Amino acid sequence: MNQVYEKIVKCYDSIKDRLPFVPKVALVLGSGLGNYAGTMDVKGEISYSEIEDFPVSTVPGHEGKFIFGYVKSVPVVCMKGRVHYYEGYPITDVVLPARLMKLMGAEILFLTNASGGINPAFSAGSFMLIKDHISIFAPNPLVGANIDELGCRFPDMSKVYDPALSQIIKEKAAECEIPLNEGIYVQLTGPSFESPAEIKMLRSLGADAVGMSTVVEAIAANHMGMRICGISCVANLAAGMTNQPLTHEEVQEASNKAAPLFRQLITESIAAFV
Ligand code: HPA
Protein backbone atom coordinates (compact mmCIF):
# COMPACT_ATOMS: atom_id res chain seq x y z
CA MET A 1 0.00 0.00 0.00
CA ASN A 2 1.12 3.60 -0.64
CA GLN A 3 2.98 4.70 2.52
CA VAL A 4 1.13 8.00 2.86
CA TYR A 5 -2.21 6.20 2.60
CA GLU A 6 -1.07 3.50 4.99
CA LYS A 7 -0.39 6.15 7.63
CA ILE A 8 -3.86 7.71 7.21
CA VAL A 9 -5.52 4.30 7.46
CA LYS A 10 -3.49 3.52 10.57
CA CYS A 11 -4.63 6.78 12.18
CA TYR A 12 -8.22 6.01 11.20
CA ASP A 13 -8.06 2.45 12.55
CA SER A 14 -6.72 3.71 15.88
CA ILE A 15 -9.71 6.04 16.46
CA LYS A 16 -12.64 4.59 14.52
CA ASP A 17 -14.18 2.96 17.59
CA ARG A 18 -14.20 6.29 19.43
CA LEU A 19 -16.22 8.29 16.90
CA PRO A 20 -19.60 9.24 18.41
CA PHE A 21 -21.19 9.56 14.94
CA VAL A 22 -20.44 9.79 11.25
CA PRO A 23 -19.72 13.50 10.71
CA LYS A 24 -21.37 15.27 7.82
CA VAL A 25 -19.21 18.40 7.94
CA ALA A 26 -15.50 18.73 8.76
CA LEU A 27 -14.69 22.18 10.11
CA VAL A 28 -11.13 23.49 10.38
CA LEU A 29 -10.83 26.33 12.87
CA GLY A 30 -8.34 29.09 12.12
CA SER A 31 -6.64 31.39 14.64
CA GLY A 32 -9.12 33.05 16.96
CA LEU A 33 -11.85 30.49 16.36
CA GLY A 34 -10.40 27.97 18.79
CA ASN A 35 -13.32 28.19 21.19
CA TYR A 36 -15.94 27.52 18.52
CA ALA A 37 -16.66 24.18 20.20
CA GLY A 38 -18.24 26.15 23.05
CA THR A 39 -21.19 26.74 20.72
CA MET A 40 -21.54 23.05 19.78
CA ASP A 41 -23.39 20.24 21.51
CA VAL A 42 -20.18 18.29 22.12
CA LYS A 43 -20.34 14.48 22.03
CA GLY A 44 -16.65 13.58 22.12
CA GLU A 45 -13.04 14.68 21.74
CA ILE A 46 -9.81 13.07 20.57
CA SER A 47 -6.50 14.85 21.18
CA TYR A 48 -4.08 14.70 18.30
CA SER A 49 -1.41 13.52 20.73
CA GLU A 50 -3.47 10.35 21.38
CA ILE A 51 -3.32 9.37 17.70
CA GLU A 52 -0.18 7.48 16.86
CA ASP A 53 2.02 9.25 14.26
CA PHE A 54 -0.46 12.14 13.97
CA PRO A 55 1.20 15.54 13.38
CA VAL A 56 0.88 17.76 16.47
CA SER A 57 1.05 21.57 16.13
CA THR A 58 3.84 23.48 17.84
CA VAL A 59 2.33 26.98 17.50
CA PRO A 60 1.12 28.69 20.69
CA GLY A 61 -2.65 29.15 20.47
CA HIS A 62 -3.03 26.13 18.16
CA GLU A 63 -4.01 23.48 20.69
CA GLY A 64 -4.73 20.26 18.89
CA LYS A 65 -7.78 18.02 19.05
CA PHE A 66 -10.75 16.76 17.09
CA ILE A 67 -14.04 17.78 18.67
CA PHE A 68 -17.22 15.98 17.67
CA GLY A 69 -20.53 17.70 18.18
CA TYR A 70 -23.77 18.89 16.71
CA VAL A 71 -24.14 22.33 15.17
CA LYS A 72 -27.92 22.64 15.37
CA SER A 73 -28.80 19.17 14.02
CA VAL A 74 -25.70 18.66 11.87
CA PRO A 75 -23.00 16.20 13.05
CA VAL A 76 -19.66 18.01 12.75
CA VAL A 77 -16.06 17.03 13.36
CA CYS A 78 -14.12 20.11 14.16
CA MET A 79 -10.34 20.55 14.14
CA LYS A 80 -9.18 22.74 16.96
CA GLY A 81 -5.67 23.54 15.78
CA ARG A 82 -4.06 22.53 12.52
CA VAL A 83 -0.48 21.87 11.53
CA HIS A 84 1.28 24.23 9.18
CA TYR A 85 3.95 23.48 6.63
CA TYR A 86 6.27 26.05 8.26
CA GLU A 87 6.45 23.85 11.36
CA GLY A 88 8.62 21.48 9.36
CA TYR A 89 6.16 18.68 8.64
CA PRO A 90 6.12 17.03 5.22
CA ILE A 91 3.24 18.41 3.19
CA THR A 92 1.53 15.01 3.25
CA ASP A 93 1.34 15.30 7.05
CA VAL A 94 -0.13 18.80 6.78
CA VAL A 95 -3.09 17.41 4.79
CA LEU A 96 -3.37 14.14 6.74
CA PRO A 97 -6.06 15.50 9.11
CA ALA A 98 -8.28 16.59 6.20
CA ARG A 99 -7.90 13.16 4.62
CA LEU A 100 -8.64 11.49 7.94
CA MET A 101 -11.88 13.46 8.35
CA LYS A 102 -12.96 12.21 4.91
CA LEU A 103 -12.30 8.65 6.06
CA MET A 104 -14.48 9.41 9.11
CA GLY A 105 -17.28 10.08 6.61
CA ALA A 106 -17.32 13.87 6.26
CA GLU A 107 -18.59 15.02 2.87
CA ILE A 108 -18.09 18.76 3.31
CA LEU A 109 -14.88 20.52 4.32
CA PHE A 110 -15.37 23.99 5.80
CA LEU A 111 -12.02 25.78 5.97
CA THR A 112 -11.38 28.89 8.04
CA ASN A 113 -8.24 30.90 8.65
CA ALA A 114 -6.82 34.28 9.53
CA SER A 115 -5.16 36.20 6.72
CA GLY A 116 -3.55 39.44 5.73
CA GLY A 117 -5.69 41.63 3.49
CA ILE A 118 -4.14 42.55 0.15
CA ASN A 119 -7.22 44.06 -1.46
CA PRO A 120 -7.08 47.75 -0.40
CA ALA A 121 -10.87 47.79 0.03
CA PHE A 122 -10.59 45.29 2.93
CA SER A 123 -10.21 46.32 6.55
CA ALA A 124 -8.79 44.50 9.57
CA GLY A 125 -11.42 42.30 11.22
CA SER A 126 -13.48 41.81 8.04
CA PHE A 127 -14.40 38.48 6.44
CA MET A 128 -13.69 37.12 2.97
CA LEU A 129 -15.47 34.22 1.35
CA ILE A 130 -12.79 32.27 -0.53
CA LYS A 131 -13.94 31.96 -4.12
CA ASP A 132 -10.67 30.62 -5.52
CA HIS A 133 -7.04 30.27 -4.56
CA ILE A 134 -3.45 30.55 -5.74
CA SER A 135 -1.45 27.51 -4.71
CA ILE A 136 1.78 27.83 -6.62
CA PHE A 137 3.88 29.27 -3.77
CA ALA A 138 3.17 26.28 -1.52
CA PRO A 139 4.16 22.66 -2.17
CA ASN A 140 1.43 20.61 -3.83
CA PRO A 141 0.28 17.88 -1.40
CA LEU A 142 -0.50 15.51 -4.30
CA VAL A 143 3.14 15.26 -5.44
CA GLY A 144 4.36 11.67 -5.17
CA ALA A 145 2.69 8.41 -6.13
CA ASN A 146 -1.03 9.01 -6.56
CA ILE A 147 -3.22 7.56 -3.82
CA ASP A 148 -5.71 5.85 -6.11
CA GLU A 149 -7.92 4.95 -3.14
CA LEU A 150 -8.54 8.68 -2.60
CA GLY A 151 -8.68 10.21 -6.06
CA CYS A 152 -7.25 10.53 -9.54
CA ARG A 153 -3.78 11.60 -10.67
CA PHE A 154 -4.77 14.88 -12.34
CA PRO A 155 -7.74 16.39 -10.48
CA ASP A 156 -9.74 19.19 -12.06
CA MET A 157 -9.40 22.41 -10.06
CA SER A 158 -11.89 24.60 -11.90
CA LYS A 159 -14.50 24.64 -9.09
CA VAL A 160 -12.71 23.86 -5.83
CA TYR A 161 -14.99 26.07 -3.69
CA ASP A 162 -18.51 24.70 -4.02
CA PRO A 163 -20.83 27.33 -5.57
CA ALA A 164 -23.94 26.09 -3.72
CA LEU A 165 -22.23 26.13 -0.31
CA SER A 166 -20.72 29.55 -1.07
CA GLN A 167 -24.17 30.86 -1.99
CA ILE A 168 -25.58 29.64 1.34
CA ILE A 169 -22.76 31.41 3.22
CA LYS A 170 -23.47 34.64 1.32
CA GLU A 171 -27.18 34.40 2.08
CA LYS A 172 -26.58 33.72 5.78
CA ALA A 173 -24.12 36.63 5.99
CA ALA A 174 -26.72 38.92 4.47
CA GLU A 175 -29.45 37.63 6.82
CA CYS A 176 -27.21 38.14 9.87
CA GLU A 177 -26.04 41.53 8.55
CA ILE A 178 -22.41 40.39 8.62
CA PRO A 179 -20.41 42.15 5.89
CA LEU A 180 -18.76 39.52 3.70
CA ASN A 181 -16.27 40.22 0.92
CA GLU A 182 -15.32 37.64 -1.68
CA GLY A 183 -11.89 37.04 -3.08
CA ILE A 184 -8.84 35.00 -3.94
CA TYR A 185 -6.72 33.55 -1.15
CA VAL A 186 -3.05 32.84 -1.72
CA GLN A 187 -1.08 30.47 0.52
CA LEU A 188 2.62 31.07 1.13
CA THR A 189 4.76 28.81 3.27
CA GLY A 190 5.52 31.37 6.01
CA PRO A 191 6.57 31.52 8.78
CA SER A 192 7.90 34.99 8.02
CA PHE A 193 5.26 37.49 7.01
CA GLU A 194 5.57 38.85 3.48
CA SER A 195 7.67 41.81 2.44
CA PRO A 196 5.91 44.88 0.96
CA ALA A 197 7.38 44.00 -2.45
CA GLU A 198 5.91 40.50 -2.21
CA ILE A 199 2.51 41.93 -1.32
CA LYS A 200 2.62 44.20 -4.37
CA MET A 201 3.48 41.20 -6.51
CA LEU A 202 0.66 39.10 -5.00
CA ARG A 203 -1.81 41.93 -5.61
CA SER A 204 -0.77 42.14 -9.25
CA LEU A 205 -1.34 38.37 -9.50
CA GLY A 206 -4.95 38.84 -8.38
CA ALA A 207 -4.75 37.80 -4.73
CA ASP A 208 -7.05 39.50 -2.21
CA ALA A 209 -5.77 37.89 0.99
CA VAL A 210 -2.63 35.99 2.02
CA GLY A 211 -2.02 33.34 4.63
CA MET A 212 -0.07 30.22 5.53
CA SER A 213 -2.70 27.48 5.37
CA THR A 214 -5.92 26.29 3.75
CA VAL A 215 -4.98 25.90 0.08
CA VAL A 216 -3.08 22.65 0.52
CA GLU A 217 -5.99 21.23 2.52
CA ALA A 218 -8.40 22.35 -0.21
CA ILE A 219 -6.27 20.62 -2.86
CA ALA A 220 -6.22 17.34 -0.90
CA ALA A 221 -9.97 17.53 -0.19
CA ASN A 222 -10.78 18.35 -3.81
CA HIS A 223 -8.71 15.31 -4.84
CA MET A 224 -10.98 13.18 -2.62
CA GLY A 225 -14.16 14.67 -4.07
CA MET A 226 -15.21 16.58 -0.95
CA ARG A 227 -17.39 19.67 -1.27
CA ILE A 228 -15.33 22.60 0.00
CA CYS A 229 -16.01 26.11 1.27
CA GLY A 230 -13.84 28.61 3.08
CA ILE A 231 -13.97 31.89 4.93
CA SER A 232 -10.95 33.96 5.86
CA CYS A 233 -10.88 36.45 8.70
CA VAL A 234 -8.76 39.34 7.46
CA ALA A 235 -6.89 39.99 10.69
CA ASN A 236 -4.62 42.75 9.41
CA LEU A 237 -3.75 44.63 6.28
CA ALA A 238 -0.74 42.98 4.64
CA ALA A 239 2.82 44.25 4.90
CA GLY A 240 3.46 47.70 3.47
CA MET A 241 -0.22 48.66 3.41
CA THR A 242 0.03 50.43 6.77
CA ASN A 243 2.97 51.71 8.81
CA GLN A 244 2.42 49.03 11.45
CA PRO A 245 4.83 46.11 11.73
CA LEU A 246 3.03 42.72 11.79
CA THR A 247 3.01 40.46 14.83
CA HIS A 248 1.42 37.09 15.58
CA GLU A 249 -0.14 38.63 18.69
CA GLU A 250 -1.85 41.33 16.63
CA VAL A 251 -3.22 38.66 14.26
CA GLN A 252 -4.58 36.65 17.20
CA GLU A 253 -6.06 39.71 18.88
CA ALA A 254 -7.87 40.81 15.71
CA SER A 255 -9.22 37.30 15.04
CA ASN A 256 -10.36 36.96 18.66
CA LYS A 257 -12.25 40.23 18.32
CA ALA A 258 -13.96 39.08 15.13
CA ALA A 259 -14.71 35.62 16.58
CA PRO A 260 -18.31 36.15 17.80
CA LEU A 261 -19.54 37.19 14.34
CA PHE A 262 -17.40 34.49 12.70
CA ARG A 263 -18.96 31.83 14.95
CA GLN A 264 -22.45 33.05 14.12
CA LEU A 265 -21.78 32.96 10.38
CA ILE A 266 -20.33 29.45 10.56
CA THR A 267 -23.18 28.10 12.68
CA GLU A 268 -25.93 29.54 10.50
CA SER A 269 -24.19 28.36 7.32
CA ILE A 270 -23.58 24.79 8.53
CA ALA A 271 -27.18 24.47 9.69
CA ALA A 272 -28.31 25.46 6.19
CA PHE A 273 -25.93 23.08 4.37
CA VAL A 274 -28.08 20.00 4.98
N1 HPA B 1 0.40 37.29 6.08
C1 HPA B 1 0.38 35.95 6.11
N2 HPA B 1 -0.38 35.26 6.93
C2 HPA B 1 -1.18 35.93 7.76
C3 HPA B 1 -1.22 37.34 7.80
C4 HPA B 1 -0.38 38.06 6.90
O1 HPA B 1 -0.34 39.31 6.86
N3 HPA B 1 -2.12 37.70 8.73
C5 HPA B 1 -2.63 36.54 9.24
N4 HPA B 1 -2.07 35.48 8.66
Side-chain angles (χ1 to χ4, degrees), residues 114-116 193-194 210-212 235-236 238 246 251:
S115 64
F193 288 116
E194 303 71 36
V210 58
M212 306 174 193
N236 55 277
L246 300 180
V251 169

Side-chain angles (χ1 to χ4, degrees), residues 33-149:
L33 270 181
N35 58 3
Y36 181 75
T39 68
M40 293 165 64
D41 177 13
V42 175
K43 297 295 179 196
E45 289 188 2
I46 302 174
S47 288
Y48 300 158
S49 55
E50 295 176 75
I51 310 171
E52 206 184 324
D53 284 349
F54 195 87
V56 177
S57 175
T58 58
V59 187
H62 286 257
E63 187 197 345
K65 58 183 164 187
F66 288 114
I67 303 173
F68 299 85
Y70 288 93
V71 172
K72 306 225 172 154
S73 61
V74 184
V76 175
V77 54
C78 157
M79 275 184 75
K80 179 170 176 166
R82 50 149 72 95
V83 289
H84 299 82
Y85 182 63
Y86 60 72
E87 294 176 72
Y89 290 100
I91 199 68
T92 48
D93 271 2
V94 177
V95 300
L96 185 151
R99 287 171 161 166
L100 183 56
M101 293 190 291
K102 169 74 159 88
L103 288 200
M104 292 178 196
E107 295 158 18
I108 292 174
L109 180 64
F110 198 147
L111 293 161
T112 69
N113 62 39
S115 64
I118 297 178
N119 186 324
F122 292 177
S123 53
S126 62
F127 300 117
M128 184 189 89
L129 178 72
I130 302 175
K131 65 174 184 194
D132 202 352
H133 69 221
I134 295 172
S135 76
I136 49 180
F137 300 107
N140 192 304
L142 306 182
V143 168
N146 185 52
I147 305 176
D148 297 328
E149 291 87 344

